[in-house]
Amino acid sequence: MKINKICCIGAGYVGGPTMAVIAKMNPNIQVTIVDINPERIAAWNDEDLSKLPVYEPGLADIVAETRGKNLFFSTEIDKGIDEAEMIFISVNTPTKTYGKGKGMAADLKYVELCARNIADVAKSDKIVVEKSTLPVRTAQAIKSILHNVGGDVNFQILSNPEFLAEGTAVEDLLKPDRVLIGGESEGAIESLAKIYGSWVPDNQILRTNVWSSELSKLTANAFLAQRISSINAISELCEHTEADVTEVARAIGMDSRIGPKFLNASIGFGGSCFQKDILNLVYIARSYNLQAVADYWEQVIILNDHQKRRFSDKMISTLYNTVSGKKIGMLGWAFKKDTNDTRESAAIYVTDHLLNEQAEVAVYDPKVRKSQMYTDLNYLNTRSEEENEALMTVHNDPYEALKDTHAIAIMTEWDEFKSYDWQKIYDIMKKPAFIFDGRNILDKKEMNKIGFEYSSIGK
Ligand code: UDX
Ligand code: ADP
């Protein structure tokens, strides 16, 4: 099928950047991103590019180049579906918070709503591409809805999981390690392959069956998360011995079978994917009664929760077993640098833990909005919104946030933190001044020289 018009349902962290790059690389295809959230669409259409709802290095330039030419943002979902030959489903699939599979399985209600919407509206044949991360066999469910509700229209379903990482989304999209397309119909697969083919070499476009494609996405994220939990497990051992986790990571990373990437010990992984996808994998394994498989992968999450918890526990015990009434400065709220996304960020859980101990937390993050931080904290439902506002303050200036603090927790590896005037920070803090570096970004010797009591992960 020749594709002239694409519609993407869901203008989020995946849909936005992916479609912007597809539009840039395919100037002859009209790409419309639709969303039920009018504020989000308005932000994508904002003249002021600093107001785009997703912050990604390089993204604003691409939006400036393509928006209004062949890239459009709209709330007219039905119109978008009707006009397009190819429809991407890129809506959120959070972990279920209710009913069967609560806390484990992916909540597919948004995906199902999209499928029903497409089935209701479509008057001509469509290729439907699942872009959201989904449990294995979701394509089958989408197919069944489309075929049973959709009348005479012919639908082809493809699985095309996205492997971009936030903070490097544009770079990852422009130079992907591979593009994965799973499907039954060779024609549909090739229609999509052609779109990626405008900038991705054909040997990097993998064609598989639908289920392999779906499972590959979950597996890729599970393997990546597992590496982090593995090095984080070693980091705890390092803290009890004379070993240094950075040195261990370098040493093992030079083994070409292991490789050097994704071996940074940290406060624990966050983000919208890793935990959700592993929980999904565990849920699927349990549903087939594969207990050993489920337990194996679940351990990755258990270790990650442990890592976050032991970070705040260490802060409390180092601060003479009490943080009550003490001001703690928190640098970073995003789950990693170069993004304004905070989903599952370790900062949320560490703050919650510290507030339970009656600390006052003062936060600074270069990109995350104040309202988002309170939303994240309130979502945990540990205390009232008023209490959270009284105990946590948010600052636009890091030096203001860190003034009179007893300790600093570094939660995100933002580059700017490294270039701060640490002597000045030391001078405005209470003494002894502690730094708990959850990202290993500062130099211990330098910090000690200034006078800080400095501790980091795995050293
Ligand atoms: C991940 C996958 O990398 C991507 O392929 C998939 O499409 C979506 O999920 P993302 O969550 O955006 O991407 O970011 P990623 O760079 O993978 O980082 C995830 C978390 O792991 C972050 O909290 C990061 O700080 C942490 N991390 C990463 C570490 O703690 N140590 C590392 O060595 C690498
Ligand atoms: P992701 O990280 O997967 O991109 P986001 O939460 O950033 O997830 O984005 C998903 C987007 O999908 C949100 O902007 C949400 O409003 C949108 N969305 C969810 N359900 C629907 C739907 N039925 N129709 C249109 N948009 C939807």
Side-chain angles (χ1 to χ4, degrees):
M1 191 192 285
K2 167 108 178 64
I3 308 298
N4 299 307
K5 287 186 181 169
I6 288 175
C7 171
C8 172
I9 309 180
Y13 282 91
V14 174
T18 311
M19 291 303 128
V21 169
I22 287 185
K24 176 182 160 71
M25 295 307 191
N26 293 276
N28 297 325
I29 298 180
Q30 179 185 310
V31 180
T32 305
I33 312 182
V34 296
D35 201 292
I36 33 168
N37 181 340
E39 281 118 52
R40 216 170 218 200
I41 291 298
W44 279 111
N45 282 322
D46 204 302
E47 281 296 304
D48 179 356
L49 290 166
S50 72
K51 301 237 169 76
L52 295 185
V54 170
Y55 170 73
E56 279 292 339
L59 179 62
D61 292 341
I62 298 182
V63 171
E65 182 188 327
T66 50
R67 196 174 61 185
K69 291 200 184 89
N70 68 328
L71 178 67
F72 300 90
F73 297 91
S74 163
T75 50
E76 291 183 286
I77 300 176
D78 291 0
K79 182 164 176 265
I81 294 171
D82 181 34
E83 287 179 357
E85 295 100 16
M86 182 176 274
I87 299 160
F88 286 79
I89 300 182
S90 190
V91 298
N92 37 334
T93 50
T95 303
K96 274 188 88 173
T97 52
Y98 56 90
K100 189 162 179 274
K102 179 180 169 184
M104 297 293 285
D107 192 340
L108 296 179
K109 69 177 171 206
Y110 304 112
V111 172
E112 183 172 336
L113 278 171
C114 285
R116 290 187 184 278
N117 206 344
I118 296 169
D120 285 341
V121 171
K123 295 193 282 289
S124 55
D125 293 355
K126 310 278 181 206
I127 298 172
V128 176
V129 186
E130 51 171 37
K131 195 73 178 145
S132 319
T133 306
L134 297 164
V136 186
R137 298 209 164 255
T138 307
Q140 197 58 35
I142 298 178
K143 188 173 167 183
S144 151
I145 293 168
L146 291 172
H147 285 241
N148 286 304
V149 188
D152 304 333
V153 179
N154 183 26
F155 295 103
Q156 293 296 338
I157 323 295
L158 298 177
S159 158
N160 171 223
E162 185 46 63
F163 294 102
L164 67 80
E166 288 174 32
T168 52
V170 170
E171 203 183 310
D172 295 344
L173 284 161
L174 288 172
K175 289 198 191 108
D177 288 344
R178 77 312 205 178
V179 165
L180 181 55
I181 305 176
E184 279 172 6
S185 146
E186 208 180 308
I189 293 175
E190 292 315 312
S191 297
L192 182 55
K194 193 157 178 270
I195 292 169
Y196 285 107
S198 18
W199 80 98
V200 181
D202 194 59
N203 61 2
Q204 279 167 249
I205 304 180
L206 294 184
R207 286 94 163 155
T208 66
N209 76 36
V210 178
W211 300 292
S212 302
S213 168
E214 291 177 327
L215 186 57
S216 299
K217 171 68 187 184
L218 293 186
T219 308
N221 277 344
F223 268 60
L224 290 168
Q226 181 205 40
R227 269 174 87 92
I228 302 170
S229 279
S230 297
I231 199 73
N232 281 345
I234 299 300
S235 78
E236 188 169 10
L237 196 54
C238 287
E239 287 169 31
H240 288 273
T241 58
E242 298 284 293
D244 174 330
V245 76
T246 315
E247 292 179 357
V248 175
R250 197 181 312 129
I252 63 164
M254 283 174 76
D255 185 323
S256 59
R257 294 166 301 177
I258 296 174
K261 294 182 185 167
F262 254 71
L263 287 177
N264 292 325
S266 71
I267 179 85
F269 59 76
S272 68
C273 287
F274 284 172
Q275 173 161 315
K276 180 186 79 177
D277 289 354
I278 293 181
L279 287 173
N280 232 325
L281 204 56
V282 171
Y283 184 74
I284 296 166
R286 290 236 160 90
S287 71
Y288 289 109
N289 232 337
L290 309 176
Q291 294 306 344
V293 177
D295 293 348
Y296 175 77
W297 287 109
E298 191 167 37
Q299 201 58 37
V300 174
I301 303 280
I302 292 172
L303 201 287
N304 197 50
D305 287 339
H306 170 70
Q307 188 77 350
K308 291 182 266 190
R309 189 72 191 190
R310 84 181 181 85
F311 183 80
S312 40
D313 282 345
K314 186 173 177 183
M315 286 183 75
I316 295 160
S317 64
T318 311
L319 292 169
Y320 316 109
N321 285 319
T322 176
V323 287
S324 176
K326 289 180 183 165
K327 188 176 169 196
I328 312 282
M330 187 158 289
L331 287 180
W333 190 266
F335 80 96
K336 61 185 281 197
K337 73 171 180 177
D338 292 339
T339 177
N340 60 346
D341 194 349
T342 64
R343 285 176 286 182
E344 291 302 328
S345 178
I348 305 169
Y349 298 97
V350 170
T351 300
D352 189 52
H353 192 189
L354 293 172
L355 296 191
N356 279 345
E357 297 291 324
Q358 302 180 344
E360 289 169 33
V361 173
V363 194
Y364 166 78
D365 186 287
K367 287 286 173 207
V368 179
R369 291 215 200 130
K370 187 175 174 174
S371 56
Q372 183 62 50
M373 297 183 194
Y374 285 114
T375 304
D376 292 337
L377 201 53
N378 292 336
Y379 188 75
L380 297 182
N381 240 332
T382 317
R383 56 194 84 68
S384 71
E385 294 186 11
E386 292 73 27
E387 279 174 291
N388 282 336
E389 270 174 45
L391 291 171
M392 181 175 87
T393 53
V394 180
H395 303 262
N396 294 325
D397 174 46
Y399 296 94
E400 188 194 301
L402 301 180
K403 191 164 177 293
D404 291 331
T405 52
H406 288 81
I408 297 173
I410 299 178
M411 307 306 294
T412 314
E413 73 281 26
W414 286 104
D415 288 334
E416 66 169 60
F417 297 163
K418 291 184 220 165
S419 57
Y420 284 176
D421 182 345
W422 284 97
Q423 178 65 56
K424 180 175 161 191
I425 292 172
Y426 179 77
D427 293 341
I428 58 175
M429 285 177 69
K430 300 256 195 235
K431 308 295 173 321
F434 293 90
I435 296 178
F436 297 91
D437 186 348
R439 295 293 187 163
N440 293 353
I441 57 172
L442 300 178
D443 186 76
K444 184 178 169 68
K445 276 198 194 120
E446 259 176 53
M447 293 300 127
N448 287 155
K449 217 165 102 198
I450 295 174
F452 285 108
E453 299 286 332
Y454 173 86
S455 64
S456 59
I457 305 276
K459 297 184 190 209

